[in-house]
Amino acid sequence: SYELTQPPSVSVSPGQTARITCSADALPKQYAYWYQQKPGQAPVLVIYKDSERPSGIPERFSGSSSGTTVTLTISGVQAEDEADYYCQSADSSGTYPVVFGGGTKLTVL
Amino acid sequence: QVQLQESGPGLVKPSETLSLTCTVSGGSISSYYWSWIRQPPGKGLEWIGYIYYSGSTNYNPSLKSRVTISVDTSKNQFSLKLSSVTAADTAVYYCARDPGFAVVAATGVTTDYYYGMDVWGQGTTVTVSS
């Protein structure tokens, strides 16, 4: 199997910067995508192709990639950003074209 | 704007086949990738598989032997069948769209280009229990 590794939880105070990482061997060759999921709701795409932001997503959400790790950065965190965040990518062989990370719970203190 | 709506039985007996349909409204299903994703209670997301509008499919290897995804372009719907279900298949099931595309080279090799799942259904809860 192929796995994307995320920290289970990240905590920040309002106005600070939150960074959520996702690590996997194929990330230098495969794009990553990030989703935000609030309780009882469907996930929402917040970053695609490592660093592109869909229309309607606030500018405080950004993505970056370095080697085998991609990072979702939320600048100036607001209370409404408290949610679960999932990365998605693929392996390099095509066996696993869609894989989700285990998810990171972002807590706004 | 495009909207997706899952439908199907909320309760399925063990060993039977789970069947769900996703209806696409506000747009055509005749483009893009259409996925099924599930989320067991209190757990993370698990991709089940997708169908490209042309009919080609790709499944999660861990579920491949039990999964069939099909598309009905005349109804603007795509469907999921998961056979031999157990309690471990209890989950919220989502359908989603990825506005990507596939390119078939002269050699016959297909390369898939994804853009991420930008439209999701609200999800439907399926419980496996006798």
Side-chain angles (χ1 to χ4, degrees):
Chain A
S1 64
Y2 181 69
E3 295 183 357
L4 305 176
T5 301
Q6 298 180 234
S9 63
V10 169
S11 299
V12 295
S13 298
Q16 291 190 328
T17 296
R19 293 180 179 85
I20 299 172
T21 59
C22 174
S23 299
D25 290 343
L27 285 174
K29 300 180 180 179
Q30 297 290 346
Y31 284 124
Y33 309 83
W34 289 95
Y35 301 88
Q36 175 194 68
Q37 186 181 34
K38 296 181 179 179
Q41 298 183 18
V44 173
L45 180 68
V46 294
I47 293 290
Y48 67 99
K49 288 189 172 182
D50 290 348
S51 59
E52 300 294 322
R53 195 173 51 250
S55 61
I57 300 301
E59 290 185 6
R60 63 180 183 273
F61 289 87
S62 63
S64 60
S65 176
S66 179
T68 58
T69 298
V70 293
T71 302
L72 172 68
T73 300
I74 310 172
S75 304
V77 167
Q78 301 181 6
E80 67 195 51
D81 299 330
E82 184 164 289
D84 293 325
Y85 291 85
Y86 295 90
C87 61
Q88 176 219 319
S89 189
D91 74 336
S92 55
S93 70
T95 302
Y96 297 89
V98 180
V99 179
F100 289 101
T104 299
K105 170 67 177 178
L106 174 65
T107 299
V108 182
L109 301 171
Chain B
Q1 72 281 18
V2 176
Q3 293 184 315
L4 307 182
Q5 178 67 58
E6 305 90 350
S7 60
L11 181 65
V12 181
K13 289 182 168 54
S15 80
E16 295 189 343
T17 295
L18 178 160
S19 295
L20 296 174
T21 296
C22 182
T23 300
V24 180
S25 60
S28 173
I29 202 170
S30 297
S31 297
Y32 310 143
Y33 300 90
W34 303 91
S35 275
W36 286 99
I37 302 99
R38 69 181 183 179
Q39 186 170 35
K43 297 188 177 181
L45 302 171
E46 180 181 32
W47 175 71
I48 299 170
Y50 69 61
I51 188 163
Y52 192 50
Y53 77 97
S54 63
S56 62
T57 55
N58 213 328
Y59 300 136
N60 185 326
S62 67
L63 298 169
K64 187 174 184 177
S65 63
R66 298 194 292 132
V67 174
T68 302
I69 298 177
S70 58
V71 64
D72 186 337
T73 54
S74 67
K75 295 182 178 179
N76 235 28
Q77 295 176 334
F78 64 107
S79 299
L80 167 70
K81 291 189 185 298
L82 181 65
S83 63
S84 305
V85 297
T86 69
D89 295 309
T90 293
V92 175
Y93 285 76
Y94 296 99
C95 57
R97 179 191 83 167
D98 183 323
F101 58 93
V103 175
V104 183
T107 58
V109 174
T110 299
T111 301
D112 298 297
Y113 296 90
Y114 304 121
Y115 285 87
M117 295 178 222
D118 66 338
V119 181
W120 292 64
Q122 64 184 27
T124 187
T125 300
V126 178
T127 302
V128 178
S129 175
S130 55

